[in-house]
């Protein structure tokens, strides 16, 4: 056995050398280069192992790979077909004119085929260096754009065959990596979608501009333009036609907006995609919303214990309304789905009315509102109440009619979950009254108002501790006795330099206790209601946020900005 591959593992803290030896032996037997197998087996810490290996081989180790200001010369020195096929990254062109050399990074110095390809197909002589596989993949995507190898082959190939974008129904929407070497728009589009799923994007926007076709992903609520191959504009109409075919839209109709759906198969999972086209002056733009079939549960919300306890007791109720408030994009659906998953037992019948159904829950009857055919929240609700549910979830209460049916349902022994478009928990009370609901009905039916906002989660790989004085804490309103440490966002390769990765909801809960019922029924002034809430254990959302900030889960700034609109100093 080659000690070259084992010594670095020993030094980087690998705990299972016998298994590592097995992996190496089987790679040797099938004459594969062993590095992929070693990394895939998860036996070593990729970063440390590869750094040790580079050291032993006396190759330069790259800690980070900045995108050059002028990427074109690098792309020309090593075209996407060599780079992406052999997983080699051009890093820098060194030397004077006529004596130039190319610094080329690999994660697998034992891959002889790749080294041969570099020697034969690249014009410049090569100086090798090493980088981790993860970082190399990321840098390749940045330098060449998603699907660049496929794209290049399409352009090299024959005149574009329009029929090739329309594959059979069955195979159409399976987008797992195929070994198929043939380049096609189908494959190119699949690469764009697959990349979006890998990056946990919630939306993909394909937007024709005058000189380019722009592709953007929405990740953690923010739009990010992704690198696409040069000259992608040449394929604009084919890419858009392919997406429309996948969504069963009329590809000949380009003047009016169309809506459709795609059911994608990806790594054995079904992913529901809502597709909308909009005609623009530069051509049709296509938006895809990826409705992940996410698994929901209460634990994932990472509730602070004082809120967790309240929610658990609410979920045990057999009737009443639990309302979640917050603006669009504050994560209300995730909370609703998590609550429903918690109460989803075989002996209970759960029915939802949603617009649209964002995620499917097994064992739950879900109805999508279709107002164009008269299936409104109110109509759908009326009919499902006849179908004897125990628990009802209403996507949103927007009008008096829906509010009244929800109240009736709760008073006749149903537990009802819904959302309201208001800023804070206490605002929910006045919102219902403003809609025209009698205050005594609000007090009789509603059990709790929850409000929530999303804050960005700090990237665990690069967050840095932050000194914060007692004076600053008092100024901000952070209790001095709150344990923990605050952190700042920094930014690294793994979080696209943003310092954040994913999001987390912060909450506040107002329970409608019997004392509170009294006040609500008699339309007490909001100051009285607020005082009572505090007596009932209300903790404002900003205070909830401080717990998360002092646990190093998010930053102080995130909490401040998420709670600025409704903060009144208490
Ligand atoms: Zn980071």
């Amino acid at each position: 056995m080659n000690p070259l591959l084992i010594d670095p593992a020993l030094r980087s803290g690998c705990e299972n050398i016998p298994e590592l030896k097995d992996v190496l032996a089987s790679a040797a037997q099938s004459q594969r280069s062993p590095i992929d197998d070693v990394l895939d087996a998860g036996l070593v810490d990729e970063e440390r192992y590869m750094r040790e290996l580079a050291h032993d081989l006396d190759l330069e180790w790259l800690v980070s790979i900045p995108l050059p200001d002028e990427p074109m010369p690098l792309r020309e020195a090593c075209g996407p077909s060599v780079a992406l096929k052999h997983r080699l990254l051009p890093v820098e062109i060194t030397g004077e004119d006529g004596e130039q050399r190319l610094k080329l990074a690999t994660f697998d110095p034992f891959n002889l085929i790749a080294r041969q390809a570099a020697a034969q197909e690249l014009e410049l002589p090569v100086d090798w260096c090493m980088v981790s596989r993860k970082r190399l993949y990321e840098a390749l995507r940045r330098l060449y754009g998603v699907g660049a190898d496929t794209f290049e082959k399409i352009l090299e190939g024959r005149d574009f065959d329009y029929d090739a974008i329309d594959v059979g129904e069955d195979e159409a929407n399976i987008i797992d990596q195929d070994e198929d070497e043939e380049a096609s728009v189908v494959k190119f589009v699949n690469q764009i979608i697959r990349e979006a799923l890998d990056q946990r994007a919630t939306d993909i926007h394909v937007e024709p501009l005058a000189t380019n076709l722009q592709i953007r992903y929405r990740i953690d609520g923010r739009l990010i333009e992704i690198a696409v191959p040069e000259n992608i504009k040449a394929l604009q109409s084919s890419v858009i036609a392919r997406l429309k075919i996948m969504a069963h839209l009329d590809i000949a109709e380009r003047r009016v907006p169309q809506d459709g759906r795609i059911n994608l198969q990806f790594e054995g999972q079904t992913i529901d995609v809502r597709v909308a086209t909009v005609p623009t002056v530069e051509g049709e733009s296509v938006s895809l919303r990826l409705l992940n079939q996410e698994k929901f549960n209460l634990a994932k919300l990472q509730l602070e214990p004082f809120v967790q306890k309240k929610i658990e007791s609410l979920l045990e109720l057999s009737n009443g309304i639990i309302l979640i408030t917050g603006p669009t994009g504050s994560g209300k659906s995730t909370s609703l789905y998590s609550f429903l998953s918690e109460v989803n037992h075989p002996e209970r019948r759960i029915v939802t009315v949603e617009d649209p159904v964002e995620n499917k829950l097994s064992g739950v009857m879900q109805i999508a509102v279709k107002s164009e055919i008269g299936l409104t929240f109110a109509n759908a609700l009326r009919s499902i109440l006849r179908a004897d549910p125990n628990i009802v979830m209403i996507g949103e209460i927007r009008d008096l009619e829906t509010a009244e049916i929800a109240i009736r349902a709760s008073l006749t022994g149903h537990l009802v979950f819904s959302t309201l478009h208001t800023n804070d928990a206490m605002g929910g009370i006045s919102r219902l009254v403003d809609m025209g609901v009698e205050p005594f009905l609000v007090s009789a039916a509603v059990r709790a108002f929850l409000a929530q906002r999303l804050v960005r989660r700090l990237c665990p790989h690069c967050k840095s501790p932050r000194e914060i004085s007692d004076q600053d804490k008092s100024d901000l309103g952070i209790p001095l006795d709150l344990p923990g440490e605050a952190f700042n966002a920094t930014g690294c390769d793994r979080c696209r330099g943003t310092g954040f990765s994913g999001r987390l909801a912060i909450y506040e809960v107002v329970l409608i206790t019997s004392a509170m019922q009294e006040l609500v029924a008699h339309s007490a002034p909001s100051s009285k209601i607020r005082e009572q809430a505090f007596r009932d254990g209300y903790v404002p959302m900003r205070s909830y946020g401080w717990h998360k900030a002092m646990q190093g889960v998010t930053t102080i700034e995130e909490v401040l900005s998420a709670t600025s609109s409704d903060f009144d100093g208490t």
Side-chain angles (χ1 to χ4, degrees), residues 22 24 163 170 227 333 373 386 544 547:
D22 287 349
L24 290 173
D163 291 335
D170 292 340
S333 308
I373 59 161
R386 284 184 229 115
Y544 184 103
H547 283 79

Side-chain angles (χ1 to χ4, degrees), residues 224 388 475 484 548 564:
I224 291 161
D388 186 34
D475 292 349
K548 295 299 182 195
S564 57

Side-chain angles (χ1 to χ4, degrees), residues 81-214:
S81 49
V82 174
L84 295 163
K85 180 167 181 205
H86 298 291
R87 300 179 291 176
L88 298 173
L89 179 79
V91 180
E92 193 186 353
I93 296 171
T94 57
E96 299 295 312
D97 263 351
E99 302 201 353
Q100 286 182 323
R101 301 181 66 81
L102 177 64
K103 189 159 148 189
L104 197 60
T106 176
F107 69 92
D108 184 354
F110 305 109
N111 186 338
L112 294 181
I113 297 169
R115 296 181 79 122
Q116 266 167 16
Q120 284 165 8
E121 297 185 37
L122 305 185
E123 283 179 11
L124 299 178
V126 168
D127 294 321
W128 291 96
C129 59
M130 270 183 74
V131 65
S132 72
R133 182 171 70 174
K134 192 180 158 81
R135 231 178 287 130
L136 182 126
Y137 283 2
E138 224 167 63
L140 282 178
R141 278 199 298 267
R142 272 193 327 222
L143 186 59
Y144 295 100
V146 175
D149 52 342
T150 309
F151 179 79
E152 198 183 53
K153 283 185 210 142
I154 298 169
L155 288 188
E156 276 170 8
R158 64 212 130 69
D159 272 344
F160 185 62
D161 179 3
Y162 227 77
D163 291 335
I165 55 175
D166 196 1
V167 294
E169 184 84 9
D170 292 340
E171 57 180 317
N173 299 334
I174 299 173
I175 61 163
D176 292 321
Q177 186 85 55
D178 42 10
E179 294 305 310
D180 184 6
E181 282 291 298
E182 196 204 343
S184 68
V185 170
V186 173
K187 188 171 168 193
F188 181 64
V189 167
N190 287 352
Q191 283 172 322
I192 289 170
I193 299 175
R194 199 163 49 227
E195 179 65 21
L197 291 168
D198 280 345
Q199 301 214 21
R200 297 177 299 104
T202 53
D203 301 82
I204 305 173
H205 299 285
V206 179
E207 301 158 316
L209 307 176
T211 56
N212 198 9
L213 181 66
Q214 173 174 266

Side-chain angles (χ1 to χ4, degrees), residues 459-463 490-501:
C459 168
H461 303 290
C462 64
K463 66 180 184 183
T490 306
C492 66
D493 283 352
R494 307 203 199 186
C495 58
R496 301 171 154 271
T498 60
F500 295 98
S501 160

Side-chain angles (χ1 to χ4, degrees), residues 297-304 306-308 311 324-327 329-336 338-339 450-458 501-509 540-549 551 553-554 558-559 562-563:
N297 60 55
L298 216 47
K300 271 200 180 169
L301 300 179
Q302 295 187 306
L303 298 170
E304 287 300 303
F306 58 90
V307 163
Q308 172 108 13
I311 288 178
I324 306 184
T325 73
S330 54
K332 289 175 290 188
S333 308
T334 302
S335 298
L336 277 179
S338 306
F339 296 167
L450 274 73
Q452 68 176 92
R453 290 289 188 287
L454 292 175
V455 293
R456 286 183 292 168
R457 205 186 273 273
L458 275 165
S501 160
R503 292 187 293 174
L504 172 90
I506 55 175
Y507 293 89
E508 64 180 21
V509 183
M541 200 188 302
R542 182 168 285 187
S543 306
Y544 184 103
W546 294 145
H547 283 79
K548 295 299 182 195
Q551 290 159 16
V553 177
T554 188
E558 279 292 300
V559 174
T563 57

Side-chain angles (χ1 to χ4, degrees), residues 446-522:
V446 181
R447 298 284 185 249
F449 292 91
L450 274 73
Q452 68 176 92
R453 290 289 188 287
L454 292 175
V455 293
R456 286 183 292 168
R457 205 186 273 273
L458 275 165
C459 168
H461 303 290
C462 64
K463 66 180 184 183
S464 55
R466 160 183 192 160
E467 290 294 323
I468 175 162
S469 66
D470 283 359
Q471 183 59 50
D472 287 344
K473 282 188 183 176
S474 323
D475 292 349
L476 288 162
I478 302 176
L480 294 181
D481 56 356
L482 196 59
E485 188 182 4
F487 284 80
N488 275 331
T490 306
C492 66
D493 283 352
R494 307 203 199 186
C495 58
R496 301 171 154 271
T498 60
F500 295 98
S501 160
R503 292 187 293 174
L504 172 90
I506 55 175
Y507 293 89
E508 64 180 21
V509 183
V510 172
L511 295 175
I512 307 299
T513 57
S514 52
M516 188 65 100
Q517 277 184 322
E518 192 74 11
L519 292 172
V520 173
H522 294 96

